[in-house]
Amino acid sequence: MGWVEDIMEQLIQQMPKPPVRLLEGTVTGLSPLQVKPDGSSESIKGARWNADIVKKVKEGERVLIQHDRTINRYYVVVRLS
């Protein structure tokens, strides 16, 4: 390997893992899915969700949301209510 590849390899090894956070929120719309995290003034439109949740979720229900900050995408992972 050349020196550029060596530097790139070192940088890749030093990068932190992708930041992911979990949020609690409320379903505010179903088509497309909209969720409003606690403490936020706006709903997130176009969140993704697990197929098991689709059949059972209703507006106003509490959910756990996973936010992948690397690609800025939200996933509803479980119903809390």
Side-chain angles (χ1 to χ4, degrees):
M1 277 204 281
W3 65 273
V4 173
E5 289 83 10
D6 290 340
I7 292 173
M8 291 299 292
E9 184 67 28
Q10 289 297 318
L11 289 173
I12 289 170
Q13 290 177 3
Q14 293 176 13
M15 292 174 64
K17 299 288 182 196
V20 174
R21 64 182 176 158
L22 293 175
L23 309 166
E24 286 186 40
T26 305
V27 175
T28 57
L30 297 176
S31 184
L33 176 63
Q34 296 180 38
V35 291
K36 181 178 173 187
D38 292 350
S40 176
S41 61
E42 295 183 21
S43 291
I44 299 163
K45 296 179 183 175
R48 311 285 191 250
W49 51 8
N50 182 324
D52 295 334
I53 296 171
V54 171
K55 300 172 188 172
K56 300 174 184 175
V57 75
K58 297 175 187 157
E59 285 188 41
E61 285 194 296
R62 303 283 299 153
V63 293
L64 186 65
I65 307 158
Q66 176 183 330
H67 178 205
D68 184 339
R69 291 191 241 179
T70 305
I71 57 175
N72 198 30
R73 191 160 284 170
Y74 294 85
Y75 302 92
V76 175
V77 292
V78 68
R79 289 176 35 224
L80 298 176
S81 54

